[in-house]
């Protein structure tokens, strides 16, 4: 018993030491803020996007949507138990099985438990189980080169994982509540998170720390979802206040808003060609804007 | 018996945490100034191809409802 206690004390001491070491290393490279660096960049001005289509068809809250690689079709999921596939050019629902869509052959699925699983869609088997978060894992995103993925959880942490090794490489803290949304910046070198603490943050992977926080004292609603425009300059963040707010990713300023839903925005997505943004809501509608 | 198992699993957990922290502590980090300038450069290089930044002419907008043509 005494030996175990001694080992436990030693391990705890080593943990504390390592955590301090990580904080010191992060501080050592923190030689200037992103907002200061971006002060010389031209402003994007007010971003005013128009509502182009409202897609009606679901009978209950929408909780997820995903663009097809063709930037034309889109799938939405609702509490009504249906997956609907839409042709966003015409606004029509497609009567076609999901296998007609191009999908990646590996699909990440966040489970409402402390793990996320990597599924092989062809065999239907779980390939790897990633265990590390101590709270429900609420959001996932695959890196542009597909070698890593990021997860955001109810323990307020974001983690970077190696897909093949199944190991956690980095952990990012700073949020004070559940992370509901997470996305890679297109270059693959940064990630963006959205949380119930009403903030979005960008973390740079190579500097291993938060580089900018997107917050506004007038915004008191949690972030449910986010998507990034094709250049990375605009962040579309869906909130519990029924709106999708648009942020300048470099300057950290709010530059626009997509208003029109009658309930919380639950999902947001920009297609690969960057031609618009789709918002899905608990009001059962999806809206297309550009 | 059960408290012995409990303390063993705490030790196992603590060892795993130390292992994980060692991995995270050992990575190489770049300066925030370098990271910021590369993010800014990426945005700058891709801005002109970002339809949501540049705007989309009505004739090329795939989501805009097309008005039906009338033959006069």
């Amino acid at each position: 018993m005494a030996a175990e206690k001694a080992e436990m004390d030693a391990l705890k001491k080593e943990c504390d030491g390592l955590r301090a070491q990580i904080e010191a290393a992060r501080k050592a490279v923190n030689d200037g803020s992103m907002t200061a660096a971006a002060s010389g960049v031209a402003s994007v001005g007010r971003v005013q996007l128009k509502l182009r289509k409202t897609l009606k068809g679901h009978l209950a809250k929408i909780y997820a949507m995903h663009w097809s690689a063709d930037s034309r079709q889109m799938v939405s999921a609702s509490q009504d138990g249906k997956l609907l596939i839409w042709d966003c050019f015409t606004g029509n629902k497609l009567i076609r099985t999901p296998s007609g869509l191009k999908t990646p052959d590996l699909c990440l699925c966040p489970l409402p438990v402390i793990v996320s699983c990597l599924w092989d869609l062809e065999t239907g088997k779980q390939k790897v189980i990633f265990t590390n978060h101590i709270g429900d894992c609420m959001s996932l995103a695959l890196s542009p080169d597909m070698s890593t993925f990021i997860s955001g959880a109810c323990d307020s942490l974001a983690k970077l994982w190696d897909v093949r090794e199944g190991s956690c490489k980095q952990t990012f803290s700073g949020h004070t509540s559940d992370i509901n949304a997470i996305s890679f910046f297109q270059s693959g070198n940064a990630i963006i998170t959205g949380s119930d603490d009403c903030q979005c943050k960008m973390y740079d992977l190579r500097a291993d720390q938060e580089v900018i926080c997107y917050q506004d004292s007038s915004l008191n609603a949690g972030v449910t979802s986010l998507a990034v425009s094709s250049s990375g300059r605009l962040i579309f963040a869906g909130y519990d206040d029924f709106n999708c707010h648009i942020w300048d990713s470099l300057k950290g300023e709010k530059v626009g808003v997509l208003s029109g839903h009658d309930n919380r925005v639950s999902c947001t997505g920009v297609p690969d060609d960057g031609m618009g943004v789709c918002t899905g809501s608990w009001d059962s509608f999806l809206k297309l804007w550009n | 018996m059960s408290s012995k198992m409990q303390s063993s699993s705490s030790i196992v957990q603590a060892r795993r945490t130390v292992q994980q922290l060692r991995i995270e502590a050992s990575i190489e980090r770049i300066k925030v100034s370098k990271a910021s300038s590369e993010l800014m450069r990426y945005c700058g290089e891709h801005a002109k191809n970002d339809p949501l930044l540049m705007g989309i002419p009505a004739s090329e907008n795939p989501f805009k409802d097309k008005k039906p043509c009338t033959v006069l």
Side-chain angles (χ1 to χ4, degrees):
Chain A
M1 278 295 278
E4 271 186 4
K5 186 173 186 316
E7 187 183 356
M8 205 53 190
D9 289 343
L11 288 170
K12 189 175 182 314
K13 198 167 170 196
E14 193 174 357
C15 272
D16 292 344
L18 286 165
R19 288 201 169 98
Q21 193 185 318
I22 290 170
E23 280 322 299
R26 283 173 173 161
K27 214 165 166 183
V29 296
N30 191 358
D31 62 339
S33 80
M34 169 103 120
T35 36
S39 58
V41 174
S43 164
V44 296
R46 192 93 198 126
V47 174
Q48 285 170 318
L49 303 183
K50 292 204 174 77
L51 174 63
R52 300 297 177 185
K53 285 192 169 54
T54 295
L55 304 176
K56 306 181 194 200
H58 280 296
L59 303 173
K61 294 174 180 169
I62 289 169
Y63 56 79
M65 58 78 45
H66 194 82
W67 284 98
S68 166
D70 68 5
S71 298
R72 173 170 182 159
Q73 293 174 14
M74 178 263 289
V75 62
S76 57
S78 162
Q79 221 170 48
D80 64 8
K82 291 205 176 63
L83 282 179
L84 289 180
I85 302 159
W86 307 85
D87 176 336
C88 292
F89 288 8
T90 61
N92 295 331
K93 288 182 271 303
L94 295 176
I95 308 173
R96 190 191 292 195
T97 58
S99 61
L101 289 176
K102 282 189 217 163
T103 52
D105 55 326
L106 291 177
C107 172
L108 293 179
C109 102
L111 301 178
V113 286
I114 59 169
V115 302
S116 56
C117 295
L118 182 64
W119 296 82
D120 184 322
L121 279 185
E122 288 194 5
T123 64
K125 290 194 166 57
Q126 287 177 1
K127 287 192 77 152
V128 185
I129 297 180
F130 304 92
T131 316
N132 197 294
H133 281 296
I134 55 172
D136 293 0
C137 180
M138 299 298 291
S139 51
L140 288 178
L142 194 56
S143 65
D145 71 3
M146 302 209 273
S147 65
T148 59
F149 77 92
I150 41 173
S151 61
C154 291
D155 58 9
S156 76
L157 302 174
K159 288 176 182 283
L160 179 75
W161 305 82
D162 185 294
V163 172
R164 300 298 164 189
E165 284 174 30
S167 55
C168 172
K169 294 165 57 154
Q170 285 170 260
T171 298
F172 301 95
S173 58
H175 280 296
T176 53
S177 188
D178 306 2
I179 293 176
N180 300 317
I182 199 161
S183 184
F184 267 93
F185 189 81
Q186 277 79 355
S187 66
N189 291 328
I191 65 172
I192 302 160
T193 54
S195 164
D196 272 345
D197 66 10
C198 312
Q199 297 177 352
C200 295
K201 290 178 188 291
M202 184 188 290
Y203 295 92
D204 187 277
L205 299 181
R206 295 175 306 161
D208 187 42
Q209 57 192 281
E210 177 183 330
V211 292
I212 192 164
C213 179
Y214 308 96
Q215 61 174 341
D216 187 298
S217 52
S218 66
L219 272 180
N220 290 316
V223 181
T224 60
S225 52
L226 59 85
V228 187
S229 75
S230 62
S231 66
R233 187 66 193 268
L234 301 176
I235 297 171
F236 299 94
Y239 287 73
D240 286 342
D241 71 352
F242 308 177
N243 294 317
C244 178
H245 293 277
I246 310 174
W247 294 90
D248 178 330
S249 67
L250 300 180
K251 288 176 174 291
E253 298 164 347
K254 225 157 41 96
V255 292
V257 62
L258 305 175
S259 292
H261 283 293
D262 294 324
N263 206 321
R264 129 183 340 180
V265 174
S266 55
C267 50
T268 320
V270 171
D272 287 351
D273 68 1
M275 285 297 267
V277 54
C278 179
T279 52
S281 166
W282 278 12
D283 68 6
S284 82
F285 301 126
L286 296 137
K287 290 181 186 283
L288 296 170
W289 316 76
N290 66 11
Chain B
M1 177 67 167
S2 66
S3 73
K4 187 166 195 247
M5 280 171 64
Q6 252 180 3
S7 55
S8 308
S9 75
S10 304
I11 294 239
V12 166
Q13 184 57 41
R15 282 187 201 140
R16 275 206 204 113
T17 305
V18 165
Q19 211 34 45
Q20 182 58 37
L21 286 171
R22 279 187 195 148
I23 292 170
E24 295 183 19
S26 66
I27 64 166
E28 300 253 328
R29 294 170 181 82
I30 67 168
K31 289 201 192 305
V32 169
S33 56
K34 179 166 194 274
S36 303
S37 68
E38 292 195 9
L39 289 168
M40 282 159 49
R41 194 179 63 209
Y42 186 93
C43 287
E45 280 170 0
H46 291 86
K48 59 185 181 306
N49 296 324
D50 185 338
L52 294 171
L53 266 185
M54 296 287 108
I56 305 167
S59 54
E60 292 165 30
N61 190 339
F63 301 131
K64 192 167 156 56
D65 278 333
K66 312 256 178 302
K67 290 197 168 38
C69 295
T70 42
V71 178
L72 295 168

